[in-house]
Amino acid sequence: IGRVACEACGASQDTAEFARKVETLVKDIYGVDPKAPAESTPIPCQSCGKPQVKPSTVLFGSPLPEQFFQRSDAEIRTLDLLIIAGTSLQVLPP
């Protein structure tokens, strides 16, 4: 995980702290961690308190960030190589 942020207010969250909260607040759907809780509890944002904290990745059904479209035209022309991994390229702009 490179960056964690709140989808409600955009505030960055500490990545290590987020990982610790995932371990203690999110259930283990595979049943391999005996210390995992039986039920998940939302992870609240440290800034606004809303439970919308997640890794800053584009998940299925989510739009690409606006910054991608603001910077892509200028930056893509300067690249020697562009690697797109783990995507269907079906994510649409908002």
Side-chain angles (χ1 to χ4, degrees):
I1 299 174
R3 183 174 179 271
V4 176
C6 176
E7 289 191 317
C9 72
S12 292
Q13 309 289 304
D14 180 79
T15 304
E17 179 63 21
F18 175 76
R20 283 189 291 277
K21 287 181 179 179
V22 167
E23 287 180 343
T24 59
L25 298 176
V26 178
K27 71 180 179 179
D28 175 10
I29 62 171
Y30 299 108
V32 296
D33 184 358
K35 296 180 288 182
E39 294 297 323
S40 293
T41 302
I43 299 172
C45 173
Q46 297 167 350
S47 295
C48 73
K50 293 184 179 175
Q52 296 185 12
V53 178
K54 71 170 198 69
S56 296
T57 57
V58 178
L59 301 175
F60 179 77
S62 298
L64 290 168
E66 185 60 35
Q67 182 182 27
F68 172 83
F69 298 100
Q70 293 170 350
R71 296 173 56 181
S72 64
D73 284 342
E75 290 184 5
I76 205 161
R77 291 183 177 96
T78 67
L79 300 177
D80 292 324
L81 175 68
L82 174 64
I83 298 174
I84 301 172
T87 181
S88 64
L89 297 177
Q90 298 297 311
V91 179
L92 300 175

